[in-house]
C-alpha cells in the first residue's frame, strides 16, 4: 500500500508540474489582438465632394465610433469606380480596408470586356448602407403629363426624342434602357459627365427627359425648370409624395432604385464581417446620422451581408438582358 500511495503522489506531482508548465507557456504567448485594433480605411472609388464621398464621410464618422477606432476615407477615382474597387479587392482580407460603392458595382462586370475585379468573386458583402430615390424628369414644354402619355409621344416620334444620362452604363442609363425596352420606344441616348450637366441640358431642352436622383433633381423641380413625371422606386419618394411611381403610372413592375453599400475583400473572416455589419447597423440607427443622410437624399437601409449579395444578383438579372440586347459596352 505505501508504494501505491507514493506512486499516486508522484503521478499527481508530475501532472501538476505539466499543468503549471502549460499555463506558463500560454502566458508567454502574445495576446490575440481584438478586431479592430487600428484605424479602418474606407476606399471611395470616386472624387471627393460627390454623393458617394459625402455618404462615406457621414457614415464613416459614426461607424468609427461604433467600432472604437478612427475611420480614414481614401478617394481613389478613375474608370467609373473600377480603380478603387480593384484596390480593395487586392487588399489584405483582414477587415481594415473597406469599399463604399454605388449600385453600378453590380453591372460593371456586364459592361466591361475585362474588368479588373468581379464583385461576386473578389469582394465580400458587408451590408447595404442606403437607397437613393430616382425620378424621371421631363422638360416642362414636353406635352406629356404622365408615363403613359410619354410613351405614346415617344412612339409617335420614333428617334426624335432624346434622354440624358450620367454616362454610358450608369444606373440611370440602364434604367432608361429598361423603360425603352419595356415600352417598345425609340428614344436617343445622350450621355453627359454627371448629373448637373445633364439636368442643365434638360432645362435648356437639349434633351427631353432624364432619369436622375431625387436629391439632384429637387432644386430644379422646385424652381419649375424641369417637371417630375414619375419616381423609380417601388414606393413614392417621401421628397416627392405627390409624384407617382413609374410602376403605377404606365409600366407595372418597373423599379430602379439606386443604392450605396459596403464591401470587404473576399476571404475576410466571417466574424469580422458580422462585427462590421453590426456596427454599420448601429451607426445607421443614430438619429443625427439618419437626419444628415436624409438631408442629402439618402434613405438609411441597413441589412445583412446575405441581403446585399442577393441585391447585387437581382440587379445583374434585371439589367443583364437589356445590356446584351442593346449591346451596351464601356471601353
Amino acid at each position: 500500500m505505501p508504494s501505491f500511495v507514493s506512486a499516486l503522489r508522484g503521478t499527481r506531482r508530475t501532472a501538476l508540474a505539466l499543468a503549471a508548465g502549460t499555463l506558463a507557456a500560454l502566458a508567454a504567448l502574445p495576446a490575440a489582438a481584438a478586431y479592430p485594433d487600428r484605424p479602418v480605411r474606407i476606399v471611395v472609388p470616386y472624387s471627393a465632394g460627390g454623393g458617394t464621398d459625402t455618404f462615406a464621410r457621414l457614415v464613416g464618422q459614426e461607424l468609427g465610433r461604433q467600432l472604437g477606432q478612427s475611420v480614414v476615407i481614401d478617394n481613389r477615382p478613375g474608370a467609373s469606380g473600377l480603380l478603387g474597387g480593384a484596390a480593395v479587392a487586392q487588399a489584405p482580407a483582414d477587415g481594415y480596408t473597406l469599399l463604399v460603392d454605388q449600385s453600378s458595382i453590380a453591372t460593371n462586370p456586364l459592361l466591361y470586356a475585362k474588368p479588373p475585379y468581379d464583385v461576386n468573386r473578389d469582394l465580400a458583402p458587408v451590408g447595404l448602407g442606403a437607397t437613393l430615390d430616382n425620378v424621371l424628369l421631363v422638360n416642362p414644354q414636353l406635352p406629356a403629363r404622365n408615363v403613359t402619355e410619354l410613351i405614346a409621344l415617344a412612339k409617335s416620334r420614333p428617334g426624335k426624342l432624346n434622354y440624358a444620362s450620367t454616362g454610358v452604363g450608369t444606373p440611370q442609363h440602364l434604367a432608361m434602357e429598361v423603360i425603352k425596352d419595356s415600352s417598345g420606344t425609340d428614344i436617343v441616348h445622350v450621355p453627359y459627365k454627371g448629373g448637373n450637366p445633364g439636368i442643365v441640358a434638360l432645362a435648356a431642352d437639349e434633351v427631353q427627359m432624364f432619369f436622375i436622383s431625387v436629391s439632384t433633381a429637387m432644386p430644379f423641380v422646385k424652381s419649375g425648370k424641369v417637371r417630375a413625371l414619375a419616381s423609380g422606386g417601388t414606393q413614392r419618394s417621401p421628397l416627392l409624395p405627390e409624384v407617382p411611381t413609374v410602376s403605377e403610372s404606365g409600366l407595372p413592375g418597373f423599379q430602379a432604385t439606386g443604392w450605396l453599400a459596403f464591401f470587404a475583400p473576399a476571404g475576410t473572416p466571417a466574424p469580422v464581417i458580422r462585427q462590421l455589419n453590426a456596427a454599420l447597423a448601429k451607426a445607421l440607427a443614430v438619429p443625427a446620422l439618419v437626419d444628415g443622410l436624409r438631408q442629402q437624399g439618402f434613405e438609411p437601409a441597413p441589412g445583412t451581408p446575405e441581403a446585399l449579395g442577393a441585391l447585387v444578383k437581382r440587379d445583374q438579372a434585371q439589367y443583364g438582358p437589356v445590356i446584351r440586347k442593346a449591346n451596351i459596352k464601356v471601353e
Side-chain angles (χ1 to χ4, degrees):
M1 183 67 69
S3 59
F4 174 77
V5 172
S6 299
L8 182 59
R9 288 173 177 169
T11 302
R12 289 182 63 189
R13 282 195 297 270
T14 302
L16 289 172
L18 287 172
T22 301
L23 289 173
L26 290 173
L29 292 174
Y35 174 84
D37 67 346
R38 62 182 187 272
V40 175
R41 179 171 63 116
I42 295 180
V43 173
V44 177
Y46 308 100
S47 299
T52 306
D53 177 70
T54 299
F55 170 81
R57 292 178 188 278
L58 287 171
V59 177
Q61 186 175 19
E62 187 57 45
L63 180 63
R65 292 194 186 100
Q66 298 297 332
L67 291 171
Q69 285 290 338
S70 60
V71 167
V72 179
I73 303 299
D74 181 5
N75 295 91
R76 298 282 190 96
S80 299
L82 290 176
L83 293 184
V88 175
Q90 297 164 11
D94 54 11
Y96 289 97
T97 303
L98 304 178
L99 173 71
V100 169
D101 208 345
Q102 309 171 6
S103 51
S104 55
I105 192 173
T107 51
N108 277 340
L110 309 176
L111 294 165
Y112 290 83
K114 295 180 179 180
Y117 74 97
D118 186 283
V119 61
N120 297 309
R121 180 192 64 225
D122 302 318
L123 295 175
V126 172
L128 187 64
T131 57
L132 300 86
D133 282 325
N134 290 306
V135 61
L136 178 59
L137 305 174
V138 296
N139 182 277
Q141 299 178 25
L142 198 71
R145 310 299 299 189
N146 54 53
V147 173
T148 300
E149 291 179 3
L150 180 64
I151 291 172
L153 181 66
K155 286 184 175 180
S156 71
R157 304 181 188 177
K160 301 298 183 181
L161 299 179
N162 303 323
Y163 78 89
S165 82
T166 54
V168 175
T170 59
Q172 293 80 11
H173 174 204
L174 299 180
M176 281 301 302
E177 287 297 319
V178 170
I179 289 176
K180 285 174 54 180
D181 186 61
S182 301
S183 61
T185 51
D186 179 12
I187 309 171
V188 179
H189 174 219
V190 182
Y192 289 84
K193 293 182 178 180
N196 284 329
I199 204 166
V200 168
L202 176 65
D205 201 26
E206 294 176 12
V207 293
Q208 288 70 54
M209 61 197 82
F210 191 17
F211 196 71
I212 191 62
S213 68
V214 171
S215 58
T216 300
M218 284 303 294
F220 291 82
V221 173
K222 289 180 177 179
S223 67
K225 294 180 179 179
V226 301
R227 185 167 69 244
L229 209 64
S231 59
T234 55
Q235 297 179 340
R236 296 189 180 194
S237 168
L239 297 177
L240 292 169
E242 73 284 359
V243 176
T245 66
V246 173
S247 180
E248 67 182 304
S249 59
L251 289 176
F254 176 88
Q255 76 83 29
T257 302
W259 47 265
L260 289 160
F262 288 79
F263 298 84
T268 300
V272 172
I273 294 289
R274 287 195 297 270
Q275 188 172 343
L276 284 167
N277 180 267
L280 178 61
K282 289 179 180 178
L284 293 172
V286 174
L289 178 58
V290 172
D291 291 343
L293 290 173
R294 285 176 175 165
Q295 288 174 15
Q296 298 294 327
F298 305 118
E299 183 60 31
T304 65
E306 292 76 17
L308 175 56
L311 180 59
V312 169
K313 290 182 171 60
R314 185 207 71 181
D315 277 12
Q316 291 175 335
Q318 176 181 359
Y319 293 119
V322 76
I323 288 172
R324 291 188 289 270
K325 185 174 181 180
N327 194 31
I328 301 171
K329 295 187 183 298
V330 180
E331 301 297 331

